[in-house]
Amino acid sequence: LARGLALSAPVLLLDDVLSAVDTKTEKKIEESLNRRTTEQTKLIVTHRLSVVAKANKLIVVNNGEIEAIGSHQELSKVSPTYQKMAEIQEFSV
């Protein structure tokens, strides 16, 4: 993670990077990611909606298939999987 944040690569791929951190560390990492240049594409694989809710585009994958693509607001209306995740995590923007 540190190497990825230190480099200025055009694409940053993070695979469930926050799965084993506490909420305080998660917040610091999120803030660091949000400060990154808008010219950098970030691909983030996660189960935590708080990490990606403000993303330009979210892709919901269910059983290996793309279920829906859209913003947090759009997915909250059209994706049963996203709705269930938001309910379980008691998450809203």
Side-chain angles (χ1 to χ4, degrees):
L1 176 61
R3 186 180 307 146
L5 293 175
L7 298 175
S8 296
V11 177
L12 181 62
L13 174 60
L14 302 171
D15 186 3
D16 220 1
V17 69
L18 301 176
S19 64
V21 299
D22 59 74
T23 54
K24 186 176 179 180
T25 304
E26 175 184 338
K27 181 107 174 123
K28 287 181 181 181
I29 293 170
E30 284 180 52
E31 289 170 356
S32 179
L33 288 171
N34 290 334
R35 281 194 305 267
R36 304 291 294 180
T37 175
T38 56
E39 296 173 9
Q40 184 181 47
T41 299
K42 296 176 209 83
L43 301 171
I44 303 172
V45 178
T46 187
H47 293 89
R48 293 189 187 184
L49 299 183
S50 62
V51 176
V52 295
K54 294 180 183 176
N56 296 335
K57 188 179 293 185
L58 302 167
I59 301 172
V60 178
V61 177
N62 187 11
N63 293 322
E65 300 288 328
I66 294 176
E67 179 179 296
I69 300 173
S71 68
H72 167 73
Q73 290 77 15
E74 294 165 339
L75 295 176
S76 295
K77 296 175 187 171
V78 302
S79 171
T81 302
Y82 194 84
Q83 292 165 354
K84 186 174 183 176
M85 288 175 63
E87 181 181 313
I88 289 169
Q89 295 179 34
E90 298 178 355
F91 180 79
S92 62
V93 171

Coordinates of all heavy atoms in Angstrom, one line a residue:
L1 N 0.8 -1.2 0.0 CA 0.0 0.0 0.0 C 0.9 1.3 0.0 O 0.6 2.2 -0.8 CB -0.9 0.0 1.2 CG -1.8 1.2 1.4 CD1 -2.7 1.4 0.2 CD2 -2.6 1.1 2.6
A2 N 1.9 1.3 0.9 CA 2.7 2.5 0.9 C 3.4 2.7 -0.4 O 3.5 3.9 -0.8 CB 3.8 2.3 2.0
R3 N 3.9 1.7 -1.0 CA 4.6 1.9 -2.3 C 3.6 2.4 -3.3 O 3.9 3.3 -4.1 CB 5.2 0.5 -2.8 CG 6.0 0.7 -4.1 CD 6.5 -0.6 -4.6 NE 7.3 -1.3 -3.5 CZ 7.3 -2.6 -3.4 NH1 6.7 -3.4 -4.2 NH2 8.0 -3.2 -2.4
G4 N 2.4 1.9 -3.3 CA 1.4 2.4 -4.3 C 1.0 3.8 -4.1 O 0.8 4.6 -5.0
L5 N 1.0 4.2 -2.8 CA 0.7 5.6 -2.6 C 1.8 6.6 -2.8 O 1.7 7.7 -3.1 CB 0.2 5.8 -1.1 CG -1.2 5.1 -0.8 CD1 -1.4 5.2 0.7 CD2 -2.3 5.7 -1.6
A6 N 3.0 6.0 -2.7 CA 4.2 6.9 -2.9 C 4.5 7.1 -4.4 O 5.1 8.1 -4.8 CB 5.4 6.2 -2.3
L7 N 4.1 6.2 -5.2 CA 4.4 6.3 -6.7 C 3.4 7.1 -7.3 O 2.3 7.3 -6.9 CB 4.4 4.9 -7.3 CG 5.5 3.9 -6.8 CD1 5.2 2.5 -7.5 CD2 6.8 4.4 -7.1
S8 N 3.7 7.7 -8.5 CA 2.8 8.5 -9.2 C 2.3 7.8 -10.5 O 2.3 8.3 -11.6 CB 3.5 9.8 -9.6 OG 3.7 10.6 -8.5
A9 N 2.0 6.5 -10.3 CA 1.6 5.7 -11.5 C 0.2 6.2 -12.0 O -0.6 6.7 -11.2 CB 1.5 4.2 -11.1
P10 N 0.0 6.0 -13.3 CA -1.3 6.5 -13.8 C -2.5 5.6 -13.3 O -3.6 6.1 -13.3 CB -1.2 6.4 -15.3 CG 0.0 5.5 -15.5 CD 0.9 5.6 -14.3
V11 N -2.2 4.4 -12.9 CA -3.3 3.5 -12.4 C -2.8 2.9 -11.1 O -1.7 2.5 -10.9 CB -3.6 2.4 -13.4 CG1 -4.6 1.4 -12.8 CG2 -4.0 2.9 -14.7
L12 N -3.7 2.9 -10.1 CA -3.5 2.4 -8.8 C -4.5 1.3 -8.5 O -5.7 1.5 -8.5 CB -3.5 3.5 -7.7 CG -3.3 3.0 -6.2 CD1 -1.9 2.5 -6.1 CD2 -3.5 4.2 -5.3
L13 N -4.1 0.0 -8.3 CA -4.9 -1.1 -8.1 C -4.8 -1.5 -6.6 O -3.7 -1.9 -6.2 CB -4.6 -2.3 -9.0 CG -5.4 -3.6 -8.8 CD1 -6.9 -3.4 -8.9 CD2 -4.9 -4.6 -9.7
L14 N -5.9 -1.5 -5.9 CA -5.9 -1.9 -4.5 C -7.0 -3.0 -4.3 O -8.2 -2.8 -4.6 CB -6.3 -0.6 -3.6 CG -5.4 0.6 -3.8 CD1 -6.0 1.8 -3.0 CD2 -4.0 0.2 -3.3
D15 N -6.5 -4.1 -3.8 CA -7.4 -5.3 -3.7 C -7.7 -5.5 -2.2 O -6.8 -6.0 -1.5 CB -6.7 -6.5 -4.3 CG -7.6 -7.7 -4.2 OD1 -8.8 -7.6 -3.8 OD2 -7.2 -8.8 -4.6
D16 N -8.8 -5.1 -1.7 CA -9.3 -5.2 -0.4 C -8.3 -4.8 0.6 O -8.0 -5.4 1.7 CB -9.7 -6.7 -0.1 CG -10.9 -6.8 0.8 OD1 -11.5 -5.7 1.1 OD2 -11.4 -7.9 1.1
V17 N -7.7 -3.6 0.3 CA -6.6 -3.1 1.1 C -6.9 -2.7 2.5 O -6.1 -2.7 3.4 CB -6.0 -1.8 0.4 CG1 -6.9 -0.7 0.4 CG2 -4.7 -1.4 0.9
L18 N -8.2 -2.5 2.8 CA -8.6 -2.1 4.2 C -9.2 -3.2 5.0 O -9.8 -3.0 6.1 CB -9.6 -0.9 4.1 CG -9.0 0.3 3.4 CD1 -10.1 1.4 3.3 CD2 -7.8 0.9 4.1
S19 N -9.1 -4.4 4.5 CA -9.8 -5.5 5.2 C -9.3 -5.8 6.6 O -10.0 -6.3 7.4 CB -9.7 -6.8 4.3 OG -8.3 -7.2 4.2
A20 N -8.0 -5.5 6.9 CA -7.5 -5.8 8.2 C -7.0 -4.6 9.0 O -6.1 -4.8 9.9 CB -6.3 -6.8 8.0
V21 N -7.6 -3.5 8.8 CA -7.2 -2.3 9.5 C -8.3 -1.8 10.4 O -9.5 -2.0 10.1 CB -6.7 -1.1 8.6 CG1 -5.5 -1.6 7.8 CG2 -7.8 -0.6 7.7
D22 N -8.0 -1.1 11.5 CA -9.0 -0.5 12.3 C -9.6 0.7 11.7 O -9.1 1.2 10.7 CB -8.4 -0.2 13.7 CG -7.2 0.8 13.6 OD1 -7.5 2.0 13.3 OD2 -6.1 0.4 13.7
T23 N -10.7 1.2 12.3 CA -11.4 2.4 11.6 C -10.6 3.6 11.6 O -10.7 4.4 10.6 CB -12.7 2.6 12.4 OG1 -12.5 2.8 13.8 CG2 -13.7 1.5 12.2
K24 N -9.7 3.9 12.6 CA -8.8 5.1 12.6 C -7.9 5.0 11.4 O -7.7 6.0 10.7 CB -8.1 5.2 13.9 CG -7.3 6.4 14.1 CD -6.7 6.5 15.5 CE -5.8 7.7 15.6 NZ -5.2 7.8 16.9
T25 N -7.2 3.9 11.2 CA -6.3 3.7 10.1 C -7.0 3.8 8.8 O -6.5 4.4 7.8 CB -5.5 2.4 10.2 OG1 -4.9 2.3 11.5 CG2 -4.5 2.2 9.2
E26 N -8.2 3.1 8.7 CA -9.0 3.2 7.5 C -9.3 4.6 7.1 O -9.1 5.0 5.9 CB -10.3 2.5 7.7 CG -11.3 2.5 6.5 CD -12.6 1.9 6.8 OE1 -12.7 1.0 7.7 OE2 -13.6 2.2 6.1
K27 N -9.6 5.5 8.0 CA -9.9 6.9 7.7 C -8.7 7.6 7.2 O -8.8 8.3 6.2 CB -10.4 7.6 9.0 CG -10.8 9.0 8.9 CD -12.3 9.1 8.9 CE -12.6 10.6 8.9 NZ -13.5 10.9 7.8
K28 N -7.5 7.3 7.8 CA -6.3 8.0 7.3 C -6.0 7.5 5.9 O -5.6 8.3 5.0 CB -5.1 7.6 8.2 CG -5.2 8.3 9.5 CD -4.0 8.0 10.4 CE -4.1 8.7 11.7 NZ -2.9 8.4 12.6
I29 N -6.2 6.2 5.6 CA -5.9 5.7 4.2 C -6.9 6.3 3.2 O -6.5 6.7 2.1 CB -5.9 4.2 4.2 CG1 -4.8 3.6 5.0 CG2 -5.9 3.7 2.8 CD1 -4.8 2.1 5.3
E30 N -8.1 6.4 3.6 CA -9.1 7.0 2.7 C -8.8 8.4 2.4 O -8.9 8.9 1.2 CB -10.5 6.9 3.4 CG -11.2 5.6 3.4 CD -12.5 5.7 4.0 OE1 -13.4 6.5 3.7 OE2 -12.8 4.8 4.9
E31 N -8.4 9.2 3.4 CA -8.0 10.6 3.2 C -6.8 10.7 2.3 O -6.8 11.6 1.4 CB -7.7 11.3 4.6 CG -9.0 11.5 5.4 CD -8.6 11.9 6.8 OE1 -7.4 12.0 7.2 OE2 -9.6 12.2 7.6
S32 N -5.9 9.8 2.4 CA -4.7 9.8 1.6 C -5.1 9.5 0.1 O -4.6 10.2 -0.8 CB -3.7 8.8 2.1 OG -2.6 8.8 1.2
L33 N -6.0 8.5 -0.1 CA -6.4 8.2 -1.4 C -7.2 9.3 -2.0 O -7.1 9.6 -3.2 CB -7.3 6.9 -1.4 CG -6.6 5.6 -1.1 CD1 -7.6 4.5 -0.9 CD2 -5.6 5.3 -2.2
N34 N -8.0 10.0 -1.2 CA -8.8 11.1 -1.8 C -7.9 12.3 -2.1 O -8.4 13.2 -3.0 CB -9.9 11.5 -0.8 CG -11.0 10.5 -0.7 OD1 -11.2 9.7 -1.6 ND2 -11.6 10.4 0.5
R35 N -6.8 12.5 -1.5 CA -5.9 13.6 -1.8 C -5.1 13.4 -3.1 O -4.5 14.3 -3.7 CB -4.9 13.8 -0.7 CG -5.5 14.6 0.5 CD -4.4 15.1 1.4 NE -3.5 14.0 1.9 CZ -3.7 13.3 3.0 NH1 -4.7 13.6 3.8 NH2 -2.8 12.4 3.4
R36 N -5.1 12.1 -3.6 CA -4.3 11.8 -4.8 C -4.9 12.5 -6.0 O -6.0 13.0 -6.0 CB -4.4 10.3 -5.1 CG -4.0 9.4 -3.9 CD -2.5 9.4 -3.7 NE -1.9 8.9 -4.8 CZ -0.5 8.8 -4.9 NH1 0.2 9.2 -4.0 NH2 0.0 8.3 -6.0
T37 N -4.0 12.7 -7.0 CA -4.4 13.4 -8.2 C -5.6 12.8 -8.8 O -5.8 11.6 -8.9 CB -3.2 13.5 -9.1 OG1 -3.7 14.1 -10.3 CG2 -2.7 12.1 -9.5
T38 N -6.5 13.7 -9.4 CA -7.6 13.2 -10.1 C -7.2 12.6 -11.5 O -8.0 12.0 -12.1 CB -8.6 14.4 -10.4 OG1 -7.9 15.4 -11.0 CG2 -9.2 14.9 -9.1
E39 N -6.0 12.8 -11.9 CA -5.5 12.2 -13.1 C -5.1 10.8 -13.0 O -4.8 10.1 -13.9 CB -4.3 13.0 -13.6 CG -4.7 14.5 -14.0 CD -3.5 15.3 -14.4 OE1 -2.4 14.8 -14.5 OE2 -3.7 16.5 -14.5
Q40 N -5.2 10.3 -11.7 CA -4.8 8.9 -11.5 C -6.1 8.1 -11.4 O -7.0 8.4 -10.7 CB -4.1 8.8 -10.2 CG -3.6 7.4 -9.9 CD -2.9 7.3 -8.5 OE1 -3.3 7.8 -7.6 NE2 -1.7 6.7 -8.6
T41 N -6.1 7.0 -12.1 CA -7.2 6.0 -12.0 C -7.0 5.1 -10.9 O -5.9 4.5 -10.8 CB -7.3 5.2 -13.4 OG1 -7.6 6.2 -14.4 CG2 -8.5 4.2 -13.3
K42 N -8.0 4.9 -10.0 CA -7.9 4.0 -8.9 C -8.9 2.9 -9.1 O -10.1 3.2 -9.2 CB -8.2 4.8 -7.6 CG -7.2 5.8 -7.3 CD -7.6 6.6 -6.0 CE -7.1 8.0 -6.0 NZ -7.9 8.9 -6.8
L43 N -8.5 1.7 -9.1 CA -9.3 0.5 -9.1 C -9.3 -0.1 -7.7 O -8.2 -0.6 -7.3 CB -8.9 -0.5 -10.2 CG -8.8 0.0 -11.6 CD1 -8.1 -1.0 -12.5 CD2 -10.2 0.4 -12.1
I44 N -10.4 -0.1 -7.0 CA -10.4 -0.6 -5.6 C -11.4 -1.7 -5.5 O -12.6 -1.5 -5.8 CB -10.8 0.6 -4.7 CG1 -9.8 1.8 -4.9 CG2 -10.8 0.1 -3.2 CD1 -10.2 3.0 -4.1
V45 N -10.9 -2.8 -5.1 CA -11.7 -4.0 -4.8 C -12.0 -4.0 -3.3 O -11.0 -4.1 -2.5 CB -11.0 -5.3 -5.3 CG1 -11.9 -6.5 -4.9 CG2 -10.7 -5.3 -6.8
T46 N -13.2 -4.0 -2.9 CA -13.5 -3.9 -1.5 C -15.0 -4.3 -1.2 O -15.8 -4.3 -2.1 CB -13.3 -2.5 -0.9 OG1 -13.4 -2.5 0.5 CG2 -14.3 -1.5 -1.5
H47 N -15.2 -4.7 0.1 CA -16.5 -4.9 0.6 C -17.0 -3.8 1.4 O -18.2 -3.8 1.8 CB -16.5 -6.2 1.4 CG -16.2 -7.4 0.7 ND1 -14.9 -7.9 0.5 CD2 -17.0 -8.3 0.0 CE1 -15.0 -9.0 -0.3 NE2 -16.2 -9.3 -0.6
R48 N -16.2 -2.8 1.7 CA -16.5 -1.7 2.5 C -17.0 -0.5 1.7 O -16.3 0.1 0.9 CB -15.3 -1.2 3.4 CG -14.9 -2.2 4.4 CD -13.9 -1.6 5.3 NE -13.4 -2.6 6.2 CZ -12.5 -2.3 7.2 NH1 -12.1 -1.1 7.4 NH2 -12.1 -3.3 8.0
L49 N -18.3 -0.2 1.8 CA -18.9 0.8 0.9 C -18.3 2.2 1.3 O -18.2 3.1 0.4 CB -20.4 0.8 1.1 CG -21.1 -0.5 0.7 CD1 -22.6 -0.3 0.8 CD2 -20.7 -0.9 -0.7
S50 N -17.9 2.4 2.5 CA -17.4 3.7 2.9 C -16.2 4.1 2.1 O -15.9 5.3 1.8 CB -17.1 3.7 4.4 OG -16.0 2.8 4.7
V51 N -15.4 3.1 1.6 CA -14.2 3.3 0.9 C -14.5 3.8 -0.5 O -13.8 4.7 -1.1 CB -13.4 2.0 0.8 CG1 -12.1 2.2 -0.1 CG2 -13.0 1.5 2.2
V52 N -15.6 3.4 -1.1 CA -15.9 3.7 -2.6 C -17.1 4.5 -2.8 O -17.4 4.8 -4.0 CB -15.9 2.4 -3.4 CG1 -14.6 1.7 -3.4 CG2 -17.0 1.4 -2.8
A53 N -17.9 4.9 -1.8 CA -19.1 5.5 -2.1 C -19.0 6.8 -2.8 O -20.0 7.2 -3.6 CB -19.8 5.8 -0.7
K54 N -17.9 7.5 -2.8 CA -17.8 8.8 -3.5 C -17.1 8.6 -4.8 O -16.8 9.6 -5.5 CB -17.0 9.8 -2.6 CG -17.8 10.2 -1.4 CD -17.1 11.1 -0.5 CE -17.9 11.4 0.7 NZ -17.2 12.3 1.6
A55 N -16.9 7.4 -5.2 CA -16.2 7.1 -6.5 C -17.1 7.5 -7.7 O -18.3 7.6 -7.6 CB -15.9 5.6 -6.6
N56 N -16.5 7.8 -8.8 CA -17.2 8.2 -10.0 C -18.1 7.1 -10.5 O -19.2 7.3 -11.0 CB -16.3 8.7 -11.1 CG -15.5 9.9 -10.7 OD1 -16.0 10.7 -9.9 ND2 -14.4 10.1 -11.3
K57 N -17.5 5.9 -10.5 CA -18.2 4.7 -11.0 C -17.9 3.5 -10.2 O -16.8 3.2 -9.8 CB -17.8 4.4 -12.5 CG -18.6 3.4 -13.2 CD -18.1 3.2 -14.6 CE -18.4 4.4 -15.4 NZ -18.1 4.2 -16.8
L58 N -19.0 2.8 -9.8 CA -18.9 1.6 -9.0 C -19.4 0.4 -9.9 O -20.4 0.6 -10.6 CB -19.8 1.7 -7.7 CG -19.4 2.8 -6.8 CD1 -20.5 3.0 -5.8 CD2 -18.1 2.6 -6.1
I59 N -18.8 -0.7 -9.7 CA -19.2 -1.9 -10.4 C -19.6 -3.0 -9.3 O -18.7 -3.3 -8.5 CB -18.2 -2.5 -11.4 CG1 -17.8 -1.4 -12.4 CG2 -18.6 -3.7 -12.0 CD1 -16.6 -1.7 -13.3
V60 N -20.8 -3.4 -9.3 CA -21.2 -4.5 -8.4 C -21.1 -5.8 -9.1 O -21.7 -6.1 -10.1 CB -22.7 -4.3 -7.9 CG1 -23.1 -5.4 -7.0 CG2 -22.8 -2.9 -7.3
V61 N -20.3 -6.7 -8.5 CA -20.1 -8.1 -9.0 C -20.8 -9.0 -8.0 O -20.5 -9.0 -6.8 CB -18.6 -8.4 -9.2 CG1 -18.5 -9.8 -9.7 CG2 -18.0 -7.4 -10.1
N62 N -21.7 -9.9 -8.6 CA -22.4 -10.9 -7.7 C -22.2 -12.2 -8.4 O -22.6 -12.4 -9.6 CB -23.8 -10.5 -7.6 CG -24.6 -11.4 -6.7 OD1 -24.0 -12.2 -5.9 ND2 -25.9 -11.2 -6.7
N63 N -21.7 -13.2 -7.7 CA -21.4 -14.5 -8.3 C -20.7 -14.5 -9.6 O -21.0 -15.2 -10.5 CB -22.8 -15.3 -8.5 CG -23.4 -15.6 -7.2 OD1 -22.8 -15.9 -6.2 ND2 -24.8 -15.5 -7.1
G64 N -19.7 -13.6 -9.7 CA -18.8 -13.6 -10.8 C -19.4 -12.8 -12.0 O -18.7 -12.8 -13.1
E65 N -20.6 -12.3 -11.9 CA -21.2 -11.5 -13.0 C -21.4 -10.1 -12.6 O -21.7 -9.8 -11.4 CB -22.6 -12.1 -13.3 CG -22.6 -13.6 -13.7 CD -22.0 -13.8 -15.1 OE1 -22.2 -12.9 -15.9 OE2 -21.4 -14.8 -15.3
I66 N -21.3 -9.2 -13.5 CA -21.5 -7.8 -13.2 C -23.1 -7.6 -13.1 O -23.8 -7.9 -14.0 CB -21.0 -6.8 -14.4 CG1 -19.5 -6.9 -14.4 CG2 -21.5 -5.4 -14.2 CD1 -18.8 -6.1 -15.5
E67 N -23.5 -7.1 -11.9 CA -24.9 -6.9 -11.7 C -25.3 -5.5 -12.0 O -26.4 -5.3 -12.6 CB -25.2 -7.1 -10.2 CG -26.6 -6.9 -9.8 CD -26.9 -7.2 -8.3 OE1 -26.7 -8.3 -7.9 OE2 -27.2 -6.2 -7.6
A68 N -24.5 -4.5 -11.7 CA -24.8 -3.1 -12.0 C -23.6 -2.3 -12.0 O -22.6 -2.6 -11.4 CB -25.8 -2.6 -11.0
I69 N -23.7 -1.1 -12.7 CA -22.7 -0.1 -12.8 C -23.3 1.2 -12.6 O -24.3 1.5 -13.2 CB -21.9 -0.2 -14.2 CG1 -21.3 -1.5 -14.4 CG2 -20.9 1.0 -14.2 CD1 -20.7 -1.7 -15.8
G70 N -22.7 2.0 -11.7 CA -23.3 3.4 -11.5 C -22.7 4.0 -10.3 O -21.7 3.5 -9.7
S71 N -23.3 5.2 -9.9 CA -22.8 5.9 -8.7 C -23.5 5.2 -7.5 O -24.4 4.4 -7.6 CB -23.3 7.3 -8.8 OG -24.7 7.4 -8.8
H72 N -23.1 5.7 -6.3 CA -23.7 5.2 -5.1 C -25.2 5.4 -5.1 O -26.0 4.5 -4.8 CB -23.0 5.9 -3.9 CG -23.8 5.7 -2.6 ND1 -23.8 4.5 -1.9 CD2 -24.6 6.5 -1.9 CE1 -24.6 4.6 -0.9 NE2 -25.1 5.8 -0.8
Q73 N -25.6 6.6 -5.5 CA -27.0 6.9 -5.5 C -27.8 6.0 -6.5 O -28.9 5.5 -6.2 CB -27.2 8.4 -5.9 CG -26.8 9.4 -4.8 CD -25.3 9.6 -4.7 OE1 -24.6 9.2 -5.6 NE2 -24.9 10.1 -3.6
E74 N -27.2 5.8 -7.7 CA -27.8 5.0 -8.7 C -28.0 3.5 -8.2 O -29.0 2.9 -8.4 CB -27.1 5.0 -10.0 CG -27.1 6.4 -10.7 CD -26.1 6.6 -11.8 OE1 -25.1 5.8 -11.8 OE2 -26.3 7.5 -12.6
L75 N -26.9 3.0 -7.7 CA -26.8 1.6 -7.2 C -27.8 1.4 -6.1 O -28.4 0.3 -5.9 CB -25.4 1.2 -6.9 CG -24.5 1.1 -8.1 CD1 -23.1 0.8 -7.6 CD2 -24.9 0.2 -9.2
S76 N -27.9 2.4 -5.2 CA -28.9 2.3 -4.1 C -30.3 2.1 -4.6 O -31.1 1.5 -3.8 CB -28.8 3.6 -3.2 OG -27.5 3.7 -2.7
K77 N -30.6 2.4 -5.8 CA -31.9 2.3 -6.3 C -32.1 1.0 -7.2 O -33.2 0.5 -7.2 CB -32.3 3.5 -7.2 CG -32.3 4.8 -6.4 CD -32.6 6.0 -7.4 CE -32.4 7.3 -6.6 NZ -32.4 8.4 -7.5
V78 N -31.0 0.6 -7.8 CA -31.2 -0.5 -8.8 C -30.5 -1.8 -8.5 O -30.8 -2.8 -9.1 CB -30.7 -0.1 -10.2 CG1 -31.5 1.2 -10.7 CG2 -29.2 0.2 -10.3
S79 N -29.6 -1.9 -7.5 CA -28.8 -3.1 -7.3 C -29.2 -3.7 -6.0 O -28.9 -3.2 -4.9 CB -27.3 -2.8 -7.3 OG -26.6 -3.9 -6.8
P80 N -29.9 -4.9 -6.0 CA -30.3 -5.6 -4.8 C -29.0 -5.9 -3.9 O -29.1 -5.8 -2.7 CB -31.0 -6.9 -5.3 CG -31.4 -6.5 -6.6 CD -30.4 -5.6 -7.2
T81 N -27.9 -6.3 -4.6 CA -26.7 -6.7 -3.8 C -26.2 -5.4 -3.1 O -25.8 -5.5 -2.0 CB -25.7 -7.3 -4.8 OG1 -26.2 -8.4 -5.4 CG2 -24.4 -7.6 -4.1
Y82 N -26.1 -4.3 -3.8 CA -25.6 -3.1 -3.2 C -26.5 -2.6 -2.1 O -26.0 -2.2 -1.0 CB -25.5 -2.0 -4.3 CG -24.7 -0.8 -3.9 CD1 -23.3 -0.8 -4.0 CD2 -25.3 0.3 -3.3 CE1 -22.5 0.3 -3.6 CE2 -24.5 1.4 -2.9 CZ -23.1 1.4 -3.1 OH -22.4 2.4 -2.7
Q83 N -27.8 -2.7 -2.3 CA -28.8 -2.3 -1.3 C -28.6 -3.2 0.0 O -28.6 -2.7 1.1 CB -30.2 -2.5 -1.8 CG -30.6 -1.5 -2.9 CD -31.8 -1.9 -3.6 OE1 -32.4 -3.0 -3.4 NE2 -32.3 -1.0 -4.5
K84 N -28.4 -4.5 -0.2 CA -28.2 -5.4 0.9 C -26.9 -5.1 1.7 O -26.8 -5.1 2.9 CB -28.2 -6.8 0.5 CG -28.1 -7.8 1.6 CD -28.3 -9.3 1.1 CE -28.3 -10.2 2.3 NZ -28.5 -11.6 1.8
M85 N -25.8 -4.8 0.9 CA -24.5 -4.4 1.5 C -24.7 -3.2 2.4 O -24.2 -3.0 3.5 CB -23.4 -4.3 0.5 CG -23.0 -5.6 -0.1 SD -21.8 -5.3 -1.5 CE -20.4 -4.5 -0.6
A86 N -25.4 -2.2 1.8 CA -25.6 -0.9 2.5 C -26.4 -1.1 3.8 O -26.1 -0.5 4.8 CB -26.3 0.1 1.6
E87 N -27.4 -2.0 3.7 CA -28.2 -2.3 4.9 C -27.4 -3.0 6.0 O -27.4 -2.6 7.1 CB -29.4 -3.2 4.5 CG -30.3 -3.5 5.6 CD -31.4 -4.4 5.1 OE1 -32.0 -4.1 4.1 OE2 -31.7 -5.4 5.8
I88 N -26.6 -4.0 5.6 CA -25.8 -4.7 6.5 C -24.7 -3.8 7.2 O -24.5 -3.9 8.4 CB -25.1 -5.9 5.8 CG1 -26.1 -7.0 5.5 CG2 -24.0 -6.5 6.7 CD1 -25.6 -8.1 4.6
Q89 N -24.2 -2.9 6.4 CA -23.1 -2.0 6.9 C -23.7 -0.7 7.5 O -23.0 0.1 8.0 CB -22.1 -1.6 5.8 CG -21.4 -2.8 5.3 CD -20.4 -2.5 4.2 OE1 -19.8 -1.4 4.1 NE2 -20.2 -3.4 3.3
E90 N -25.0 -0.6 7.5 CA -25.7 0.6 8.0 C -25.1 1.8 7.4 O -24.7 2.7 8.1 CB -25.7 0.6 9.5 CG -26.4 -0.6 10.1 CD -26.4 -0.6 11.7 OE1 -25.7 0.3 12.3 OE2 -27.0 -1.4 12.3
F91 N -25.0 1.8 6.1 CA -24.2 2.8 5.4 C -25.1 3.7 4.5 O -26.0 3.2 3.9 CB -23.2 2.2 4.5 CG -22.4 3.2 3.7 CD1 -21.3 3.9 4.3 CD2 -22.7 3.5 2.4 CE1 -20.6 4.8 3.6 CE2 -22.0 4.4 1.7 CZ -20.9 5.1 2.3
S92 N -24.9 5.0 4.6 CA -25.6 5.9 3.7 C -24.7 7.1 3.5 O -23.8 7.4 4.3 CB -26.9 6.4 4.2 OG -26.7 7.0 5.4
V93 N -24.9 7.8 2.4 CA -24.0 9.0 2.1 C -24.9 10.2 2.3 O -26.0 10.3 2.0 CB -23.5 9.0 0.6 CG1 -22.9 10.3 0.3 CG2 -22.5 7.9 0.4

